[in-house]
Amino acid sequence: MTDSKYFTTTKKGEIFELKAELNSDKKEKKKEAVKKVIASMTVGKDVSALFPDVVNCMQTDNLELKKLVYLYLMNYAKSQPDMAIMAVNTFVKDCEDPNPLIRALAVRTMGCIRVDKITEYLCEPLRKCLKDEDPYVRKTAAVCVAKLHDINAQLVEDQGFLDTLKDLISDSNPMVVANAVAALSEIAESHPSSNLLDLNPQSINKLLTALNECTEWGQIFILDCLANYMPKDDREAQSICERVTPRLSHANSAVVLSAVKVLMKFMEMLSKDLDYYGTLLKKLAPPLVTLLSAEPELQYVALRNINLIVQKRPEILKHEMKVFFVKYNDPIYVKLEKLDIMIRLASQANIAQVLAELKEYATEVDVDFVRKAVRAIGRCAIKVEQSAERCVSTLLDLIQTKVNYVVQEAIVVIKDIFRKYPNKYESVIATLCENLDSLDEPEARAAMIWIVGEYAERIDNADELLESFLEGFHDESTQVQLQLLTAIVKLFLKKPTETQELVQQVLSLATQDSDNPDLRDRGYIYWRLLSTDPVAAKEVVLAEKPLISEETDLIEPTLLDELICYIGTLASVYHKPPSAFVEGGRGVVHKSLPPRTASSESAESPETAPTGAPPGEQPDVIPAQGDLLGDLLNLDLGPPVSGPPLATSSVQMGAVDLLGGGLDSLIGGTNFVAPPTAAVPANLGAPIGSGLSDLFDLTSGVGTLSGSYVAPKAVWLPAMKAKGLEISGTFTRQVGSISMDLQLTNKALQVMTDFAIQFNRNSFGLAPAAPLQVHAPLSPNQTVEISLPLSTVGSVMKMEPLNNLQVGSGQGRHPSPYSPTSRAPLGSVEGRVYRQMFLATWKDIPNENEAQFQIRDCPLNAEAASSKLQSSNIFTVAKRNVEGQDMLYQSLKLTNGIWVLAELRIQPGNPSCTVRLSLKCRAPEVSQHVYQAYETILKN
Amino acid sequence: MIGGLFIYNHKGEVLISRVYRDDIGRNAVDAFRVNVIHARQQVRSPVTNIARTSFFHVKRSNIWLAAVTKQNVNAAMVFEFLYKMCDVMAAYFGKISEENIKNNFVLIYELLDEILDFGYPQNSETGALKTFITQQGIKSQHQTKEEQSQITSQVTGQIGWRREGIKYRRNELFLDVLESVNLLMSPQGQVLSAHVSGRVVMKSYLSGMPECKFGMNDKIVIEKQGKGTADETSKSGKQSIAIDDCTFHQCVRLSKFDSECSISFIPPDGEFELMRYRTTKDIILPFRVIPLVREVGRTKLEVKVVIKSNFKPSLLAQKIEVRIPTPLNTSGVQVICMKGKAKYKASENAIVWKIKRMAGMKESQISAEIELLPTNDKKKWARPPISMNFEVPFAPSGLKVRYLKVFEPKLNYSDHDVIKWVRYIGRSGIYETRC
C-alpha cells in the first residue's frame, strides 16, 4: 500500500482532474480520488469546491469510502450548509441500517456536522439510537447528545434528550454508562446551576459498580464525575473512598490521578482520629511514587500534581525524598519540577542528603537548572536552621567557581539568608564584594547593593562601592535604582560625615533626572525625612525588618484547595484556576473542598496540625500584595514578607477597632507614612481587597473545622425555680457562628408547651438569631436538646460582672430568668492578626492595661497549647523561643469587637507546669475573664 | 476534552489533522508549528499554552503528535491517550515514521474516528479494533448479524481487550519477568539508594476466554493466602519479597486484588504487560564496583576499579560494560584489564570496559593511568560516578512466579495442557558508584 503518493500531487488544474475522477464510474478510481481529496485537505489545501462531487460518492456500500466522505463532510459542511442538506437522507437511512457499526457511524458523524438545518433532522434518528438495542450504538448516541448540546442547547432540552441521557446512567453496559456520565458532566458544566448530574447515594452506587467494569477511559470519566459529588457525611465519604482505592493500582496513570483526586477531596471529610484516615494516607504514597516511573510527559503532569499534594498534605510523601532525586537523563522539565518538590520536602531529617544532591546539580550544564539548584540551597538554609552553616559554605564554594550565573544566583540567595539570620554570616561579605564586577543581572546587583547598604558600617569602602554603581545610574533597571537609593540613604544615616555628598547626588538623580514616579516619590520621601527629622528618618529607614517566610512559592490556600479539586487536569499542571485559561463560561465553576462534617468533639493532637492553615504559617503565604508597603520599608526585593498587608486591611476588614490601634500606632511611630497614604488607597484597588478577603474566607472555612473546646453543659436553671422545667446548657461554635445548646427537661407532672426565650442586653451583644423552636410538647420526664443559633449583633451593654448574661426562658406565660454561668465563647473567627500589626498594637496599648496571670498545672507544650487555643479562635501570631521558654503571641477578638492580645510563656521543663499569661487590651476589664477562659481551654 | 489531534513530521508539515471540536480552528495547526516545532529555543514543557489554547505533545522518533484543547481537560488522560494512539498505530503498521504514516493515512483517520469521539477516548484496545477496522471496507457486507453484534458487544463490553472465538492448536503462554535494578553507591560501598522496577510481560496463545490466576512470592499475598496452609507459608515465607507498589493491566480485576490479593484476569491475545512493580528492600545487587582514584601530582590520575559479581556461580551475567569517566583535560590513557576489552573514548570522556560474560562470585579488575594537560581552570573536576550495564538471568528483587493457572470452562483443555514458559531477566537501570 502506498497511499503516500497522494501527498505529492501538486499539479495545477488538480481540482478539475479530481472532479472528473470523482464522477468516474469505476469504484476504484472514485475511491482513489476521494483519498487524494482527503490528503489535500490534510495539508491545508482548500478542496471545498469539490463538495457536490464528494457528497455524490456517499451512497456506497464500501465502508471505507463512506468513512472518507464523512470525514470530508465534517470538515466542509459548515462552509456549504445548503449543500450539506443533500447528505441528510443518507444519514437518516444509515441510522436504520441493520449493521450496528453503520448506525453508530451515521449518528456519530451527523453530530459533527455543525449546520443548524441538519440538527433538526438529527433529532429523530438520535432518539432511536439512544434506545438502540446495540450498546455500541447507544454509547455513540450518548456522546452525540453532548455534540448536539454544543450546537443547540435549547433543542436538546426541548427534545427531552437530557432525561434519556440520565436514564443511560443505569444502562446495563458499562461503556454506555461511562459515555453518558462524560456527556452529562460536560453539559452540566455549561449549566452550573442546573441539577443535571443529580448525584445521590443510589446513582453513586451505580457509578461505583460500573467503575469496576468499564474501559480505562470510562473509569476516568466516572472518577472525575465522582469527584464533584459531595458525600453527606464522613461515613459515606469513607465508603466511597474504600471502593475507589483499588484504582490506585491501575496501569493507566490518569486513572490513578483521578482516583487520587477523589480520595484527596473526600479525605477532607474524614476525622483524623479514624484508623481509616491513617490507612488512606499510607495507601496514597506508593502510587504517587510509581507515577514517576511513567513516560516523561506523564511524570511532568504527576510532578505538578504532587507539588500541590505536598503543599496540602505534606505527611503523605515526607519519607519519599529519595525518589525525587534528579536522574541524569531526565528531561529538563522533569528535573525542574523534581527540584521544586525536593525543597518542599527538605527537613532536618534529610537535609544532609538533599544538600549533597543539590551540590551535584549545581555543577550540571543546563543554566536554568543550575540556577534553581543554587537557589534551592539558599532555601534550605532558610528552612532548616541547623543546616544554614553548611548551606552558606556550599554557596561560598560555588561562588569560588566564578561561573557567572552561579555567582549571581548565590548572591541573591545569600541576601535572603542575611535577612533570616541577621548578624551571623557577615564574614562572607568580603568574598561577595570580590565578585561585584561580574554581576550583570539586575536582581543580583540589587541584592548586592542591599547587602552593602545593610552592612555599611562594617564595610570600610561601602561608599566607594556604592559610588561605583552610581556612575551608570540611569542605565540601571528600576529595581537596582530603588535599591541604590535606599542603600545610600542607609549609608548616610550610618556614616553621616563622609557621605553627605553621595546622598545629595543620589537624591538629585532620583528626584530630578528620573522619569520613574516610584523612584521620584521615594527620593522625595527620603529627602523630606532627612531634612525635617533625621531621627525619624533613622527609625524608618533602619527599622527592624519583619521575618521572611520559610517557604517560597506557596500557593495561596484557597487557590490550593481549588486546585486540589482539579487534580490531573490542565489546571493542576498550570497551577491556575480554569478561569485563567478557559474561555467563556465552560469549566469555570468554582470548586471547593468539602467541609468536614465529622463530629469534632475530640481535640486535635499536636502532631496533626489543623488542615491547611496552621496558625503560624498563615501569614506567610500572602502573595505579593504587600509590596507597596514593603517598598516604603525598603523590603522591595526578595521573598514574600510576612506582615505588610497592614495598610491593605483598611480597605477590607471591618475590624475598625483594630485599625484604630494598628494604623494609628504606625503613623504615630513613623512619620513618613503619612504623606504617601494619600496615594496608597488609589493603588490598593479591588484586587488586593479580594485577595485578602479570600484569605479570610479560608479562615472562616477551615479555621473552625477543627474541634473547638466546648464546655460541658451546666445546669442553668434548676427545676425548683421554674415550675419543674430544668434548663442546662452550654455555648458552642460551629463554622463561625455561635449557638447555645440547651437541654430542657420536664421535671413536672404536666405536659409543657409554648417555649420562648429572651436575652437581656449584655456585654457581648448576644441575641438569638432565630426563635426558640421546641416542636413537640414536652411530656413529664422527657428531655429535649435544642441548639439555638445566636448572633452577636444585638445591642451591647456593659454588665457587671462582665460575662454576665441574663436570659429568660420558660413555657407558657411564666418566663423564668436565669444566668448561664458557663462562659460565653470567646473569640470570633476574625481574630487573626498579622505579626507586624500585633507588634504595633501591643506597643500602642498603655502598659497599665497589661494584666499578668499564672495558670498552674498545665502540662502542655507550645504546639499543643497553640492548637487547643486555635480551635477556640485564639490565634497564634508568632512563636519564639527565648532562654528556653516558648513564647506564644496570640490574638483574639471578642464577639463585641474588643481585641485582646496575649503573650503566653511556657517553660517546657518546669516541674510545676505553670504557664504565665500576659494580656493587653484596651478594655482592661475583660482581662480577668479572658484569663479564666484560657485556663478552662488549656486545662480541658 | 481533546479538541483536535495533529501529527507532524520533523519539518513541521502536517501529516494528519483531525478536529473534534468547533473551538479549534485551522490556525491551531500553525500555532503549534510556529511556537513549538520551529521555536528558537527548545520547548521546556510537554504542555504549551498558546493564546488560551493548550497543546500536549509527545515525540516518537522525528514525528510529533499533538493534542489540542481549549478546555480544562484531564491532562494525564490526554498523554495516556497519545501513548495509546502510538501503540495502536504501531500495532497496525509497525514503526511510527513519516513514510508509514503517509502510507496509512486513511487507516489513521479511520482509527481516530473510532477511538476518539468528540474528544472522548473510546475503546482503544488493538485486539478489539482489529476485528472491525481492517482496511477492507467491503467486508462489512459479508458479516452475519451475529458477527456484527459480537463485534459491538466486544468493543463495548467488559472484556474489551479480547475477542471471542480465538482458537489455538497448542495452548501456550510465556511469562517474562523483566527487571531493571538501580543503584547509587558511595565510594565506601554504602548503598545510597537502590530500587528495582520490574515488569511482568505475558505472551498468551490460549483458546477461548481463559480465566487466569497469577501467583508470585509477594509477602502480603502469601500471608493472606497462606493462613489455611501453614506449612506452605513457612516454606515460602523465607523467600517472599516485599513489593512497595504495583500496577496492573486493565484486564486485572482490581477490586479482587484489593480484597483478596489475588491477581485474576482474562488476558488479551498476544503480548501485553500484566503488571509493573517496584521494590526497595532486600535487593540482590548483582555487581559491586570498588573504585580507587588517586591524583598523582597535577597532571596524572591513577584509577583502579574492581568489580565483583555477587550471585550463584552457576549463573552467567552478560553484556557487562563499565564506564569510568575521565576529566575533560585528559591527554592520554593507558589501560590494563584482566578480562574483556577496555578503551578510552575521548569523545565520551570515559574509559569503556566491556566484558562479554562473567560467572557469579568472581571478580575482575582494571587499572588505568590518565595523563592530564595542565590547566589554569580553577574548577575542580566534579568526578562523575562510574556507571555500569549488565544483564543477568535472574530477578534481582527476588521475585518468583509461583503459578499461573488457566481455566477455560467452556473448552476442553485444562490447566496442565497449557505449555508455560517463565524467564527472568535482570538488567541494569541506572547503576552508579560514586568515586
Side-chain angles (χ1 to χ4, degrees), chain A residues 600-614:
Chain A
S600 36
E601 293 289 347
S602 51
E604 308 249 289
S605 63
E607 287 83 15
T608 54
T611 41

Side-chain angles (χ1 to χ4, degrees), chain B residues 183 185 284-291 305-311 317 320 322 338 353 355 358-366 388 390 392 394 431 433:
Chain B
L183 168 75
M185 196 178 247
I284 308 159
L285 297 168
F287 285 95
R288 162 95 202 268
V289 177
I290 305 154
V305 176
V306 181
I307 58 167
K308 285 185 179 171
S309 58
N310 176 33
F311 44 88
I320 301 147
V322 181
M338 289 156 49
W353 176 25
I355 305 168
M358 187 165 168
M361 304 317 266
K362 289 258 163 55
E363 69 173 73
S364 190
Q365 181 182 330
I366 184 173
M388 209 181 158
F390 54 80
V392 288
F394 60 90
Y431 203 85
T433 307

Side-chain angles (χ1 to χ4, degrees), chain A residues 262-323:
Chain A
V262 175
L263 297 176
M264 282 293 286
K265 231 184 137 174
F266 290 2
M267 238 164 127
E268 285 293 305
M269 302 184 64
L270 300 179
S271 156
K272 290 189 177 180
D273 304 328
L274 276 180
D275 287 344
Y276 182 70
Y277 181 86
T279 324
L280 199 54
L281 274 185
K282 269 190 216 127
K283 276 192 176 167
L284 275 170
L288 287 173
V289 172
T290 299
L291 289 177
L292 298 181
S293 50
E295 287 85 344
E297 290 88 359
L298 268 173
Q299 277 186 51
Y300 174 72
V301 174
L303 286 165
R304 294 292 283 175
N305 280 291
I306 288 172
N307 199 329
L308 297 174
I309 293 167
V310 165
Q311 287 183 56
K312 181 75 192 166
R313 295 193 185 278
E315 62 269 34
I316 295 178
L317 288 167
K318 68 177 175 214
H319 298 303
E320 303 286 350
M321 170 62 91
K322 278 185 184 174
V323 298

Side-chain angles (χ1 to χ4, degrees), chain B residues 116-134:
Chain B
L116 208 52
D117 190 5
F118 201 42
Y120 289 107
Q122 305 292 305
N123 192 331
S124 48
E125 286 300 314
T126 24
L129 289 172
K130 280 191 169 171
T131 58
F132 67 107
I133 295 187
T134 54

